[in-house]
């Protein structure tokens, strides 16, 4: 019985976190798209074991890791900016880093903070 309870508990947490993220993302995405001058066609939220986010520049689609909702807001914004930068520069080269410096000067600090935390939660 406790196994079923734990599974139900995890599922309820998943639903709640997903709802919270869906409420926050449109405003943050709109903000940063305007600041940077880019536009995505769609975004999605999913659990990812190895990434905080991903961008398909051709499809103009951004995926964000659900675990970001549990992190400080500046970490979520860092990943949003990072993924939106891929619409301007595909690779993590000097131009990409210069663009990150231009739009989010503390991005390296946020990256370090985020990378010290686990990618996947148990909930």
């Amino acid at each position: 019985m406790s196994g079923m309870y734990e599974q139900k508990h995890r599922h309820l947490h998943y639903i709640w976190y997903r709802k919270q993220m869906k409420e926050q993302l449109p405003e943050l995405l709109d903000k940063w798209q305007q600041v940077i001058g880019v536009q995505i066609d769609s975004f999605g939220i999913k659990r990812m074991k190895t990434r905080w986010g991903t961008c398909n520049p051709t499809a103009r689609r951004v995926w964000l890791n659900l675990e970001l909702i549990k992190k400080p807001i500046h970490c979520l914004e860092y990943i949003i900016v990072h993924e939106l930068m891929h619409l301007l520069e595909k690779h993590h080269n000097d131009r990409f880093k210069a663009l990150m410096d231009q739009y989010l000067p503390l991005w390296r600090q946020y990256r370090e903070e985020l990378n010290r935390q686990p990618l996947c939660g148990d909930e």
Side-chain angles (χ1 to χ4, degrees), residues 51-63:
R51 297 172 183 238
W52 291 112
T54 186
C55 178
N56 180 327
T58 305
R60 304 188 79 74
R61 180 175 183 86
V62 168
W63 284 100

Side-chain angles (χ1 to χ4, degrees), residues 29-61:
L29 284 165
D30 286 346
K31 168 190 165 181
W32 285 106
Q33 286 176 99
Q34 287 179 29
V35 168
I36 298 166
V38 296
Q39 187 69 43
I40 59 171
D41 290 336
S42 61
F43 72 90
I45 302 164
K46 62 183 175 180
R47 286 185 171 147
M48 293 185 251
K49 292 182 179 180
T50 61
R51 297 172 183 238
W52 291 112
T54 186
C55 178
N56 180 327
T58 305
R60 304 188 79 74
R61 180 175 183 86

Side-chain angles (χ1 to χ4, degrees), residues 103-118:
Y103 290 105
L104 197 66
L106 296 176
W107 71 272
R108 287 175 178 86
Q109 177 183 321
Y110 301 153
R111 179 184 62 189
E112 283 181 30
E113 179 181 350
L114 194 54
N115 288 336
R116 285 193 302 262
Q117 300 179 44

Side-chain angles (χ1 to χ4, degrees), residues 66-78:
L66 179 62
E67 290 297 309
L68 286 166
I69 196 63
K70 301 175 188 176
K71 311 304 180 200
I73 191 75
H74 59 267
C75 290
L76 174 56
E77 290 194 79
Y78 155 65

Side-chain angles (χ1 to χ4, degrees), residues 56-101:
N56 180 327
T58 305
R60 304 188 79 74
R61 180 175 183 86
V62 168
W63 284 100
L64 297 165
N65 191 325
L66 179 62
E67 290 297 309
L68 286 166
I69 196 63
K70 301 175 188 176
K71 311 304 180 200
I73 191 75
H74 59 267
C75 290
L76 174 56
E77 290 194 79
Y78 155 65
I79 296 299
I80 288 171
V81 172
H82 179 108
E83 298 310 332
L84 292 176
M85 280 304 136
H86 285 299
L87 297 175
L88 300 175
E89 177 55 58
K90 277 185 170 182
H91 306 287
H92 295 122
N93 56 23
D94 289 342
R95 179 171 182 258
F96 181 92
K97 292 172 188 170
L99 288 165
M100 287 297 294
D101 288 338

